[in-house]
Amino acid sequence: MEATKKLNGKAVGKWLSNNAIIMMMLAITLIVGIIHPNFFSGTNMINLFKNVSIRYIIALGISGCLITTGNDLSAGRLAGFAACLACIFAQTEGASGKFYPNMPTLSTPVVFILVIAICAIVGLCNGLVVSYLKVQPFIATLGMQQVVYGICLVYTGGTPIGSLNKNFTSLASNTILKVPVLIWIALIVAVCFWFLYNKTRHGKYMYAIGGNEAAAEVAGVNVHATKIRIYILASCMYALGGFLVGAKAERHPELVRRIAAEGHDTGIHTWEHAAGFPMRSSRAMTADILRCRESLRRIAGVETHLFRPPFGVTNPMVARAVKRTQSRCIGWSVRSFDTLLHRSREAVAERIARRLGDGKVILLHDDRPGADRLLRLVLDDLKRRGYGTATVCELFKIEKP
C-alpha cells in the first residue's frame, strides 16, 4: 500500500513537472477571473476563443516542426502573405482598384485552394532546404521569413486591398449553434491533428525522428520525406490562418453606411489595430491609413481625412504617415477607461461626469459589453447638466472633404 502511495505521489509530481506551463496559465487565468469577474462571462469567453482560434491553427502547424526538434520562423510572415493573397483573390468583379481587373469573382473554396497551394510551395522549399541541404531549421526558416516578407511587399506594393466577396468575409462573423465559425474550424483542425499525430504512421515517424533521428533512419523511416511533409503541412496551416485573418478584414459594413447616412463624422483608426502599430514604419502606417480610406469610400462613399492614432500614441513615424496622407490627427480630452471590463458602466459614466467641460472630447469604444448602456448614461447626464453635443468637425471647425 505504501509503495502504491509513493508511486502515485511520484506520478503526480512528474505530471505537474511536465505540465508546469499549463498549470501556471490556468492559475493566471483563475487569478484574472477573480480580479475581473466579467472575464469568465460567456461573451468574453467567445471573443477570447475566437481571437485565439487563428493563432491556435498556426501553432498546430509549428508543432510538427517542434516535435522533430526543428522550428519554423517563417510562420508569421507566411500567414500575413496568405492573408494578402486571400484578399486579392476574394475581390469582387468590377470593384474599383481591383488588383487583377479582368479576374472574375472567385468562390471562397477556390480562393482557399489557391492560397493553400501557393503557401504549400513555400513549405516544400523549407522542407527541401532542411532535409536535403542539412541547413538548421532555425536558419533556413529565418531566411524564408525575410524572403516571404520581401515577396509580399513587392507583390502587393503596399496598396490597400478592399471590395471583398461577402461569402468570404462572412466566415469571420457567421455562427453555428451560436458558436463562431472560426472556433469550429479550429476545433476540427485540432481533432485532425490529434488523429494524425497519434493514429497514423506519419505521426509515429515524427516522434521517432524527434527522439533520435539517426536511430529512426536506421529503423527504416524515410526521414527526408517525413520532414518535407511536416513543413508542407505547417505552411498549409499558416495559409489557413492567413485565409481566416483575411476574412476578418471587413466587418459590419451596414453600420458604416448607417453612420454616414445619419450625418455623423467618420474617421480612421487602423485597419487591424495591431499592438505594434506605433512601432511600424511610416510607410506601413501610410498603407494602413490608405486601406481604411479605400474601404470607407467603397462601402459608404465617405471621404475622410480624420485619423485617431491607435492607443493615442504619436511619434515621428505617425507624424510622417499623417503628413503623407494629408490626415488630421484627432485626440481626446476625457479618457473613460471603458475598456476595463471589471468596472461597471455606471462607474465609467461617473468618471466621465467628473471630467466634463466645454469643448471636451470623450473617448468611448463601441465594441465593449454594455457600450449602448454607457452611451445612454453619458448622454442623459450631458442633458441634465445642460451640455450639447457636436461632431468632431463642428467642434474643431474642420471643413469636411
Side-chain angles (χ1 to χ4, degrees):
M1 192 74 172
E2 268 182 48
T4 305
K5 285 183 179 177
K6 286 181 180 177
L7 182 64
N8 289 340
K10 286 182 179 179
V12 171
K14 186 178 180 181
W15 186 87
L16 289 174
S17 176
N18 291 336
N19 297 276
I21 295 177
I22 296 175
M23 298 305 295
M24 286 178 63
M25 290 176 64
L26 290 175
I28 292 171
T29 302
L30 185 61
I31 292 169
V32 172
I34 293 171
I35 297 173
H36 307 300
N38 287 335
F39 181 79
F40 287 118
S41 66
T43 302
N44 189 57
M45 284 292 103
I46 289 293
N47 287 334
L48 184 64
F49 287 128
K50 186 177 179 179
N51 290 328
V52 167
S53 59
I54 294 176
R55 295 170 176 83
Y56 180 64
I57 291 170
I58 295 172
L60 286 174
I62 298 175
S63 66
C65 307
L66 296 176
I67 289 171
T68 54
T69 67
N71 207 334
D72 193 346
L73 301 182
S74 65
R77 295 298 190 192
L78 192 52
F81 183 46
C84 291
L85 289 173
C87 290
I88 288 171
F89 294 144
Q91 286 183 301
T92 54
E93 187 175 5
S96 61
K98 187 175 171 65
F99 203 88
Y100 293 118
N102 298 323
M103 186 173 69
T105 302
L106 301 178
S107 64
T108 302
V110 172
V111 172
F112 175 70
I113 291 169
L114 287 172
V115 173
I116 291 289
I118 293 171
C119 291
I121 295 172
V122 177
L124 174 63
C125 294
N126 277 334
L128 290 172
V129 171
V130 169
S131 58
Y132 283 103
L133 299 184
K134 303 296 182 183
V135 177
Q136 285 294 323
F138 184 92
I139 302 299
T141 57
L142 178 62
M144 185 58 75
Q145 175 195 78
Q146 299 303 315
V147 169
V148 170
Y149 183 49
I151 291 173
C152 187
L153 283 178
V154 172
Y155 180 58
T156 63
T159 56
I161 305 169
S163 305
L164 305 182
N165 188 347
K166 289 182 180 179
N167 292 331
F168 172 64
T169 56
S170 65
L171 286 172
S173 55
N174 284 352
T175 61
I176 299 176
L177 300 176
K178 297 184 179 180
V179 177
V181 170
L182 292 178
I183 297 177
W184 285 114
I185 293 174
L187 288 173
I188 292 169
V189 173
V191 171
C192 291
F193 265 73
W194 177 87
F195 182 83
L196 177 68
Y197 286 0
N198 295 281
K199 301 296 181 181
T200 66
R201 185 181 297 175
H202 175 75
K204 304 301 180 186
Y205 287 175
M206 286 171 53
Y207 287 107
I209 294 170
N212 190 321
E213 185 173 327
E217 193 165 10
V218 171
V221 175
N222 190 334
V223 175
H224 294 331
T226 302
K227 283 187 175 182
I228 290 171
R229 286 196 296 268
I230 289 169
Y231 282 93
I232 290 176
L233 179 61
S235 293
C236 289
M237 290 303 100
Y238 312 151
L240 175 58
F243 175 82
L244 296 175
V245 167
K248 291 175 67 177
E250 294 180 355
R251 288 181 290 173
H252 308 305
E254 69 287 350
L255 292 181
V256 177
R257 283 190 283 268
R258 181 178 172 184
I259 289 169
E262 293 181 0
H264 301 288
D265 289 341
T266 307
I268 291 167
H269 191 34
T270 66
W271 184 261
E272 53 189 30
H273 205 278
F277 185 91
M279 303 306 296
R280 287 181 172 179
S281 67
S282 59
R283 186 186 217 177
M285 292 181 185
T286 300
D288 192 287
I289 294 171
L290 293 177
R291 187 178 186 184
C292 289
R293 276 189 187 167
E294 168 61 24
S295 184
L296 284 172
R297 187 182 299 118
R298 178 181 51 79
I299 292 172
V302 171
E303 295 288 345
T304 184
H305 55 267
L306 304 178
F307 171 63
R308 182 173 80 80
F311 317 108
V313 175
T314 55
N315 56 34
M317 285 84 77
V318 173
R320 280 195 289 272
V322 168
K323 186 176 181 180
R324 285 174 180 169
T325 57
Q326 298 182 336
S327 299
R328 178 75 179 262
C329 251
I330 302 296
W332 64 84
S333 48
V334 178
R335 188 174 184 181
S336 63
F337 287 103
D338 60 335
T339 53
L340 302 178
L341 296 180
H342 69 283
R343 302 188 66 176
S344 69
R345 301 301 89 180
E346 287 72 20
V348 175
E350 288 176 11
R351 173 185 169 79
I352 294 171
R354 291 194 298 269
R355 290 162 174 78
L356 285 178
D358 292 337
K360 296 285 187 177
V361 178
I362 303 171
L363 175 66
L364 295 172
H365 298 81
D366 61 1
D367 62 342
R368 295 300 187 269
D372 55 340
R373 188 170 83 255
L374 174 60
L375 183 59
R376 283 195 295 270
L377 289 170
V378 172
L379 290 175
D380 289 344
D381 187 58
L382 289 172
K383 189 175 181 181
R384 280 196 304 271
R385 292 166 178 256
Y387 285 109
T389 59
T391 66
V392 169
C393 289
E394 291 170 346
L395 181 63
F396 294 111
K397 295 180 174 56
I398 299 172
E399 187 177 345
K400 290 187 177 182

